[in-house]
Amino acid sequence: MNAIGITLGLSFLWSFLVALFAVPSIIYIAHLKNMLDTPNVRTVHESLTPRLGGVAVFAGFMSALTIFADLNNGVQQLLAGCIVLFFVGLKDDLVSISVTKKFVGQLLATGIVMVMADVRITSFQGILGIHELPIGISYAFTFLVIVGITNAINLIDGLDGLAGTIVSIIVTTFGYFFYRYGGSEFGNYVYVSVCVLGGILGFLRYNFHRATIFMGDTGSLVCGFIVSILTIQFIEMGAQLGQPFGASAPSVAVGILFVPLFDTLRVFLIRMMAGRSPFSPDKNHVHHRILAMGFQQISTVMLLGLLNLVVILFVINFAELGNTILIVALIAFSVLLSVFLGVYRSRTAQQRVAS
């Protein structure tokens, strides 16, 4: 094993162990101070549960990354953005804050990485015939991507172990390609992937059904932000180095993020079509629909993880078809999946009415 492999292994182990040993203390303090999440109309859990699991993930990730990784090429600014979102999420988990304040925190974190590290999407790589982006559009689009992905991960965090499982699959996929093709420009992002994976796996030990702790906004906002930066750097790696998928990198990235993106776009469309705010809470998420079919929480998480893996394998193996065909295929699959979820819901509702 080479030196990089050893340091990657050590950074993973460090992050994993810090999170693993931090969680029991966090659970103890949360119960002692009554910092517990009460079941409500949006949630599926039935008992008072701490929401501060993201503290353990952040502690593992942050300590491992600063000890073992090269902090150049935007990683230092990524850490600064994570710190901002950590405190925004922590306040929301403890006392609940408005959507506006959350958005301001995301704006600040995004500004740090975009302006100070110049982390942004510079080209559409031929999608809709667009290549190089004017700088203003580049900044605006990058901002939408970061905020969109951050909130998509935040919204998918609705079942025991779901957000952790999906994020683990996504960062492992990105990490593999950064390791293989990153070189001096993007290679240090493999450490970001490995450190966040270690922290999440240490946390998941306590988060699978029945969870004794939840990730909370502390974890989901930080993890979503990290995933968004990995996505942008993956797309830029394709544009600048021609690796690993060249011009198809944007559509491959969409496929890697399939479950959170599909879920977010679907619930936003449903809410807006019903004349409600896209941010109004309900039980229309894809995991709620699968639970309504009669699946248990663990099998729902496994099913969605498997779905994400299948889509990742599809976009990787058919990357040579190009962006347009891949995106059309993903949209077509999303529509079919939405119709299936909707039809199944109406049938179960009819059966309930009949009974």
Side-chain angles (χ1 to χ4, degrees), residues 249-271:
S251 55
V252 173
V254 171
I256 292 169
L257 295 166
F258 180 76
V259 166
L261 293 184
F262 165 73
D263 178 57
T264 302
L265 292 171
R266 181 181 162 275
V267 292
F268 276 22
L269 280 171
I270 289 170
R271 288 167 187 173

Side-chain angles (χ1 to χ4, degrees), residues 111-166:
I112 291 167
V113 291
M114 279 201 310
V115 177
M116 298 183 74
D118 202 33
V119 171
R120 57 191 174 88
I121 292 171
T122 56
S123 169
F124 272 9
Q125 302 185 39
I127 298 173
L128 303 174
I130 302 166
H131 289 274
E132 198 73 22
L133 293 173
I135 193 156
I137 293 172
S138 171
Y139 278 118
F141 184 70
T142 302
F143 173 73
L144 288 175
V145 167
I146 294 174
V147 171
I149 293 172
T150 302
N151 286 295
I153 300 296
N154 190 21
L155 289 170
I156 201 81
D157 184 26
L159 289 186
D160 295 350
L162 179 57
T165 300
I166 298 295

Side-chain angles (χ1 to χ4, degrees), residues 64 71 255 296:
L71 302 182
Q296 299 300 311

